[in-house]
């Protein structure tokens, strides 16, 4: 059922996730660190558990690699499209004035795109790989990560 082994698709996804975040660490919106102080500690724990779990799981199961004989390939394609949209979201942010409103601005009809796009992509990758461990880890990550950023956005809107 599960196939342990290296996933190059998982590695590609993690690179697509981490590279913009590394650049962002030097291009945070003004005042972002003030919002971090108010984060819900339960959501923060869920986010951290989800982050570590997702990062490990996408690398250790070869089920996430491309299989041309699989009718499930549509899930991988949609997942990858979400990751591409995530990259476009970051390009738009890096070209902006880098304010909180730029960081939390919707992307088309996708709210909190910086949080929801990668969570959605990893969830669909879990469907593609038939991996309930990744699905569960992504749900945990999503609750924490999206919850934290929804709180930040709510605070930012109240300040404007």
């Amino acid at each position: 059922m599960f196939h342990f082994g290296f996933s190059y698709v998982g590695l590609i996804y993690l690179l697509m996730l981490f590279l913009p975040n590394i650049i962002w660490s030097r291009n945070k919106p003004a005042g972002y660190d003030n919002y971090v102080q108010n984060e819900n500690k339960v959501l923060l724990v869920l986010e951290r558990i989800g982050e570590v779990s997702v990062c490990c799981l996408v690398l250790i199961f070869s089920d996430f690699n491309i299989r041309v004989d699989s009718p499930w390939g549509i899930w991988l394609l949609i997942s990858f499209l979400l990751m591409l949209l995530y990259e476009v979201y970051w390009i738009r942010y890096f070209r902006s004035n880098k304010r909180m409103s730029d960081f939390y601005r919707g992307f088309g009809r996708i709210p909190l795109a910086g949080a929801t796009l990668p969570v959605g992509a990893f969830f669909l990758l879990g469907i593609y790989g038939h991996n309930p461990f990744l699905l569960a880890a992504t749900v945990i990550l999503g609750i924490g990560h999206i919850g934290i950023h929804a709180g930040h956005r709510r605070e930012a809107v109240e300040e404007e």
Side-chain angles (χ1 to χ4, degrees):
M1 184 166 181
F2 305 113
H3 300 96
F4 285 102
F6 178 71
S7 173
Y8 59 85
V9 169
L11 178 62
I12 291 167
Y13 273 49
L14 291 179
L15 289 172
M16 292 174 79
L17 182 71
F18 288 135
L19 291 176
N21 279 279
I22 291 168
I23 297 167
W24 173 81
S25 70
R26 297 181 185 269
N27 292 278
K28 292 179 185 177
Y32 181 81
D33 291 331
N34 297 332
Y35 293 87
V36 173
Q37 298 170 5
N38 300 327
E39 289 177 353
N40 179 305
K41 301 307 179 210
V42 173
L43 292 178
L44 185 60
V45 168
L46 291 173
E47 181 187 43
R48 295 296 183 256
I49 290 169
E51 286 171 343
V52 170
S53 301
V54 167
C55 289
C56 292
L57 291 168
V58 297
L59 292 174
I60 66 169
F61 289 105
S62 62
D63 300 310
F64 305 125
N65 291 333
I66 297 172
R67 300 182 310 269
V68 292
D69 61 337
S70 173
W72 290 80
I74 189 71
W75 296 108
L76 179 61
L77 177 63
I78 296 169
S79 173
F80 187 70
L81 289 175
L82 290 181
M83 287 304 290
L84 289 177
L85 287 174
Y86 180 68
E87 301 305 313
V88 173
Y89 158 83
W90 278 114
I91 291 168
R92 184 186 73 176
Y93 171 75
F94 292 134
R95 290 183 169 179
S96 75
N97 292 326
K98 298 175 188 74
R99 299 177 307 232
M100 287 298 285
S101 58
D102 298 319
F103 190 56
Y104 288 116
R105 185 172 54 168
F107 189 71
R109 294 183 181 228
I110 303 168
L112 296 171
T116 57
L117 286 170
V119 169
F122 281 102
F123 189 82
L124 294 177
L125 186 62
I127 291 173
Y128 169 73
H130 307 282
N131 192 299
F133 302 115
L134 183 59
L135 293 172
T138 305
V139 168
I140 292 168
L141 171 63
I143 291 168
H145 192 58
I146 295 169
I148 286 171
H149 286 283
H152 288 184
R153 181 174 179 220
R154 193 170 28 257
E155 285 182 65
V157 168
E158 289 172 3
E159 289 181 4
E160 289 182 354

